[in-house]
């Protein structure tokens, strides 16, 4: 097992996200998919449809992390500018990818043909490769450690599926949960001390309000199973010592 931790950044592109007109679903599904690939989503930026802003975000992400993903802005309209922005970030031109054009010609053969707008979806930064899209024909784009994907969540899901198993990852992040009707403020000292005693683990605290009562779920994460088990055992012991009832797996 590769001991190195692989990381990724995500740039979510679109004025409609920032305005609240569209609720983003891609962050969660990209994060979940990356976990399975043993890659950690480390940072997310949501940016408007502005070429320079997109380019700056992409350059910052690709320099900071092993992989960078973008969602949104690779469609057929004038404000779909992700390809242009990424080309600017990389200092390359934009070309019509011949395979992408052929894919679109086949897809639109019985749908009115390949119009000028539809042909925009065959544009890629020079040197880019294609990510298959079984849902709507228009492919995603891979260039270096960048992966440009659609904004429509079910199309993004298909592109992620096509990428499954193709990226190098490290050790998967393991997790265990324990929860109860435990106000996190009353157990904060114990949480901090347990986490400090287990340097290979992180503890997340997630409060909730149910049945008229305050509670919390505590999630312990680590790439080391033995360390995770030891941390979870001590956390449960400390919860018991503090007089709290708890449920393994959370509530």
């Amino acid at each position: 097992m590769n001991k190195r931790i692989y990381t990724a950044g995500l740039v979510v592109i679109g004025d409609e996200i920032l305005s609240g007109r569209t609720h983003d679903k891609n962050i969660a599904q990209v994060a979940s998919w990356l976990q399975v690939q043993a890659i950690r989503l480390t940072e997310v930026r949501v940016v408007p449809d502005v070429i320079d802003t997109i380019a700056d975000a992409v350059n910052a992400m690709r320099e900071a992390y092993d992989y960078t993903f973008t969602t949104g802005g690779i469609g057929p309209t004038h404000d779909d500018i992700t390809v242009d922005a990424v080309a600017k970030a990389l200092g390359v031109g934009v070309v019509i990818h011949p395979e992408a054009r052929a894919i679109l010609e086949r897809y639109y053969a019985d749908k009115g043909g390949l119009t000028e707008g539809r042909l925009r979806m065959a544009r890629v930064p020079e040197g880019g490769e294609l990510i298959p899209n079984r849902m709507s024909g228009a492919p995603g784009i891979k260039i270096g450690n960048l992966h440009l994907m659609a904004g429509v969540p079910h199309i993004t899901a298909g592109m992620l599926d096509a990428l499954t198993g193709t990226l190098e990852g490290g050790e998967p992040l393991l997790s265990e949960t324990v929860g109860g009707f435990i106000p996190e403020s009353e157990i904060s000292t114990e949480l901090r001390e347990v986490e400090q005693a287990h340097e290979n683990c992180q503890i997340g605290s997630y409060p909730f309000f149910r049945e008229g009562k305050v509670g919390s779920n505590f999630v312990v994460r680590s790439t080391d199973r033995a360390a995770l088990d030891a941390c979870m055992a001590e956390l449960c012991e400390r919860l018991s010592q503090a007089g709290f009832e708890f449920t393994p797996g959370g509530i």
Side-chain angles (χ1 to χ4, degrees), residues 1 10 12 20 25 39 87 101 120 126 129 133 147-149 164 167 169 172-173 200 208 222 247:
M1 180 67 69
L10 171 62
V12 179
K25 297 181 180 178
I39 300 166
R101 179 174 189 142
R120 284 181 56 82
E126 190 170 7
E129 304 172 18
N133 170 14
H147 302 80
L148 284 56
M149 300 182 299
T164 296
L167 305 183
L173 189 63
N200 292 325
F208 59 80
S222 178
T247 301

Side-chain angles (χ1 to χ4, degrees), residues 74-76 80 99-111 113-114 117-122 131-141 148-159 162:
I74 57 171
D80 289 311
E99 184 182 349
R101 179 174 189 142
I103 290 170
L104 291 168
E105 285 176 341
R106 291 193 297 270
Y107 183 82
Y108 287 110
D110 59 352
K111 302 177 181 66
L114 189 56
R118 291 167 173 173
L119 183 60
R120 284 181 56 82
M121 295 185 287
I131 301 172
N133 170 14
R134 296 188 296 272
M135 301 300 297
S136 64
I141 303 162
L148 284 56
M149 300 182 299
V152 179
H154 73 273
I155 297 177
T156 300
M159 292 178 177

Side-chain angles (χ1 to χ4, degrees), residues 8 102 139 199 213:
E199 62 180 17
K213 295 183 289 185

